[in-house]
Amino acid sequence: MSSQINESVIRDVIQEVLGRLGNENNLPHTGALSSSASSAVIPSGSYAPPSCGCDSKKSSQGGRHGVFATAEEACDAAQQGFLQLQKQGIEARRKVEEIVKTMCADRATEWGRIELEESKIGRLDHKIEKLQIIKLVPGVDWIRPDARSGDHGITLEEYTPFGVVGAITPSTHSIPTLAGNIVNIVAAGNAVVFNAHPAASRCAAMAVREFNKAIERETGIHNLVCIIEEPTLDSFKELCAHEAVRLLCVTGGPGVVKAAMQTGKRAICAGPGNPPVLVDDTACLKRAAESIIQGASYDNNLLCIGEKEVFALEHIADDLMNAMQTAGAVRLNASQLQQLTQAAFTFKEGQGAGCPHPVVNKDLIGKDVSVLAQAAGIQVPDGTDLLFAETDENHPFVDEEQMMPFIPIVRVGSVDDGIRAALKAEHNYKHTSIIHSHDVNHMTAMARALDTTLFIKNGPCGAGLGLGGEGYLSFSIATPTGEGVTNPKTFTRVRRCVMVDNLRIY
Ligand code: NAD
């Protein structure tokens, strides 16, 4: 008898559900999904994009391969992409990671050239290399749960996605930052929408289109990675304000970091740097010279971690500069420095070289050594990677994040003096600092005083990102907000699952 009652109750319930399904408008947004993610469940409080129930809209969005005219379209599509990824699970994340890493390696030469032609800053060999090394960015394997087991059972803490992440990329490494962000963000189970720097947005959109084509082919997921085709400050604001965007990842200078922090959304900010280098009298000067040249010349000094100014103890400064010349860098004399300074900075009326807050001349940012040499009034041998000159500590080349293949060398009377000057030049960005020394007291004193996210001893800046030092790679180093070198866990919510008094197996 009771089983008959149950059967009739179940029949009624099924009929009611089928009746409701016949009228899509009766369904609440948070309880039902579009056909593309019909078996996924939207957690309560999650964003569900407006649906007109029109299949033609969905298929036309599928045909966009992630590239959209507006932030709203991009965010709506990315939310659908997120739900599709959620449905397909970890293996699909792994597939996306593999696609992005493989495409960056296979197309490094072509894409490096395309990015350089558009942005017109940096060096082709390094643009290519920055894509080849995307394979070093940590992915799905980084996401491992934490577990506890005790008298009261077991507890699992899982690293789970936010949903859609809004990401801002710089002009200095557009495709590499975008690709590295995708690996991290998708490995954590999220979708992403990019607002790229306008000076390198076409190459970014091209890469997004190509990634999506491969992702669609391999997984059937559409628009997991989206981009606004013509980014503007308004599209940045719309992206940040969109309901689907739960988290921001911002890579850029002081302006965009400030703007992101004012949005009210949680922002992971990879901000500016002006990395100082201290060289003391215990250092291997040959190694120091070669490291400084390698780091400061990389991609014409566009890296935020790149060596930007050197403080050398007075009695070894000449030896260091000789070692730099032996290693191939070219030294400018005082008048050549003066000419370069006038070309590299704009001074407000009444200011001269040496005054604070001159404006960096964008025409020289990321340009080749030959262009800077010409501005300084000299010719340098082909293959010269870096120019340098002796300056005082208040020189604009010390104070400003100039991003040119030139580095100023400043004599300091003591290690304490060098640390004080380095702290001033770093502007409290807490980004990167470097020491060449074999005195652990000097290393410790500088590490404590500078308080930077990366502190590198006896190597070039790249060693701080696993390139010649131990560690892993990211092109987004979250400095003011404190997450450090970003990795998949940076883009997760930690959620706890508790089983009380059971499942402990010993
Ligand atoms: P940028 O600040 O000019 O641009 C970065 C991005 O922010 C771009 O997409 C740009 O369109 C956008 N933007 C700029 N100002 C904005 C504003 N007020 N509101 C909204 N969006 C804005 O930087 P850039 O010249 O492309 O890159 C160089 C800067 O980025 C340097 O300061 C460098 O140190 C920093 N950077 C930091 C990291 C890091 O990992 N910490 C990595 C790369 C670059």
Side-chain angles (χ1 to χ4, degrees):
M1 180 65 183
S2 79
S3 82
Q4 277 175 352
I5 290 170
N6 283 345
E7 273 175 26
S8 94
V9 169
I10 290 166
R11 239 192 325 271
D12 288 345
V13 170
I14 288 171
Q15 268 172 0
E16 192 185 330
V17 169
L18 287 176
R20 283 196 195 177
L21 282 173
N23 182 357
E24 196 176 313
N25 291 336
N26 286 346
L27 293 172
H29 273 321
T30 50
L33 299 178
S34 69
S35 60
S36 60
S38 56
S39 66
V41 175
I42 302 180
S44 82
S46 288
Y47 168 77
S51 166
C52 63
C54 168
D55 282 344
S56 64
K57 184 181 169 195
K58 278 176 210 147
S59 61
S60 80
Q61 287 208 336
R64 300 300 310 263
H65 307 303
V67 183
F68 293 91
T70 67
E72 190 180 355
E73 285 175 285
C75 294
D76 287 346
Q79 174 67 14
Q80 291 301 325
F82 165 64
L83 294 173
Q84 291 170 60
L85 180 67
Q86 197 179 47
K87 193 175 160 193
Q88 291 209 20
I90 309 288
E91 275 316 301
R93 300 186 200 178
R94 206 178 289 282
K95 185 45 97 180
V96 173
E97 176 186 342
E98 186 191 313
I99 287 168
V100 172
K101 290 182 173 180
T102 307
M103 285 180 84
C104 284
D106 291 351
R107 303 196 184 185
T109 305
E110 179 197 347
W111 286 5
R113 191 179 296 281
I114 289 172
E115 177 161 342
L116 182 59
E117 276 169 12
E118 184 183 2
S119 71
K120 299 185 176 50
I121 53 174
R123 281 173 48 164
L124 182 60
D125 51 347
H126 297 149
K127 290 271 181 270
I128 294 169
E129 193 175 49
K130 286 197 282 190
L131 287 163
Q132 288 168 334
I133 59 177
I134 291 297
K135 59 178 181 240
L136 303 176
V137 173
V140 175
D141 287 340
W142 206 263
I143 304 284
R144 297 216 182 101
D146 295 325
R148 279 162 193 267
S149 174
D151 292 343
H152 292 295
I154 59 166
T155 288
L156 192 66
E157 279 191 334
E158 290 203 273
Y159 295 89
T160 72
F162 275 87
V164 178
V165 177
I168 315 300
T169 50
S171 60
T172 45
H173 6 272
S174 187
I175 306 178
T177 309
L178 179 133
N181 283 171
I182 295 171
V183 170
N184 278 181
I185 288 169
V186 173
N190 305 285
V192 56
V193 179
F194 288 97
N195 201 62
H197 194 292
S201 60
R202 287 201 308 277
C203 63
M206 181 257 336
V208 164
R209 197 175 280 117
E210 295 307 309
F211 287 144
N212 274 300
K213 283 185 195 166
I215 294 168
E216 288 159 18
R217 202 169 46 240
E218 297 285 329
T219 69
I221 300 174
H222 290 261
N223 302 318
L224 184 61
V225 174
C226 295
I227 192 164
I228 299 149
E229 191 159 22
E230 291 185 13
T232 60
L233 287 184
D234 284 339
S235 65
F236 163 84
K237 284 183 199 145
E238 285 159 24
L239 169 66
C240 295
H242 196 282
E243 205 185 343
V245 173
R246 306 276 310 279
L247 181 69
L248 300 174
C249 174
V250 170
T251 308
V256 69
V257 167
K258 191 171 170 204
M261 285 179 167
Q262 286 169 347
T263 60
K265 290 260 164 86
R266 183 173 162 224
I268 293 158
C269 294
N274 193 34
V277 184
L278 179 60
V279 186
D280 77 8
D281 50 3
T282 68
C284 168
L285 295 183
K286 179 173 182 290
R287 185 175 177 140
E290 289 171 357
S291 297
I292 291 165
I293 294 170
Q294 187 182 333
S297 68
Y298 196 85
D299 210 18
N300 287 341
N301 211 346
L302 289 180
L303 292 180
C304 58
I305 59 168
E307 289 84 346
K308 295 289 190 296
E309 61 277 335
V310 176
F311 301 98
L313 285 192
E314 206 150 20
H315 56 285
I316 54 98
D318 287 326
D319 291 342
L320 176 67
M321 287 189 271
N322 289 338
M324 287 180 69
Q325 281 181 293
T326 305
V330 170
R331 182 173 181 169
L332 303 185
N333 64 29
S335 79
Q336 291 158 352
L337 171 67
Q338 172 73 6
Q339 276 197 65
L340 180 61
T341 306
Q342 289 301 331
F345 300 93
T346 308
F347 299 94
K348 286 191 195 133
E349 212 172 320
Q351 284 186 326
C355 286
H357 306 306
V359 178
V360 180
N361 177 3
K362 288 207 160 121
D363 292 345
L364 286 190
I365 288 179
K367 290 296 185 274
D368 289 343
V369 165
S370 57
V371 176
L372 265 64
Q374 200 180 11
I378 55 162
Q379 280 200 327
V380 293
D382 284 350
T384 302
D385 286 324
L386 189 71
L387 305 178
F388 71 95
E390 192 175 339
T391 73
D392 65 48
E393 71 171 75
N394 298 314
H395 196 279
F397 269 118
V398 175
D399 207 41
E400 301 297 317
E401 188 195 16
Q402 29 89 7
M403 296 191 283
M404 298 172 199
F406 167 88
I407 198 159
I409 315 283
V410 179
R411 286 175 203 264
V412 289
S414 66
V415 166
D416 284 348
D417 214 19
I419 290 175
R420 178 201 50 74
L423 186 59
K424 180 168 160 253
E426 214 275 325
H427 299 300
N428 214 20
Y429 289 142
K430 299 195 186 292
H431 196 299
T432 297
S433 56
I434 295 166
I435 191 169
H436 290 276
S437 170
H438 287 104
D439 185 318
V440 289
N441 291 325
H442 296 170
M443 295 175 187
T444 308
M446 185 166 176
R448 288 190 180 158
L450 270 286
D451 195 20
T452 46
T453 307
L454 300 181
F455 182 56
I456 298 141
K457 296 172 278 291
N458 299 323
C461 62
L465 293 181
L467 307 167
E470 293 303 320
Y472 59 91
L473 176 68
S474 171
F475 285 101
S476 298
I477 301 139
T479 39
T481 48
E483 292 82 0
V485 182
T486 55
N487 61 65
K489 271 191 183 173
T490 311
F491 303 98
T492 58
R493 296 169 58 219
V494 185
R495 293 168 58 196
R496 184 178 284 195
C497 204
V498 180
M499 166 59 91
V500 182
D501 290 341
N502 219 327
L503 280 185
R504 179 172 171 245
I505 56 171
Y506 63 94

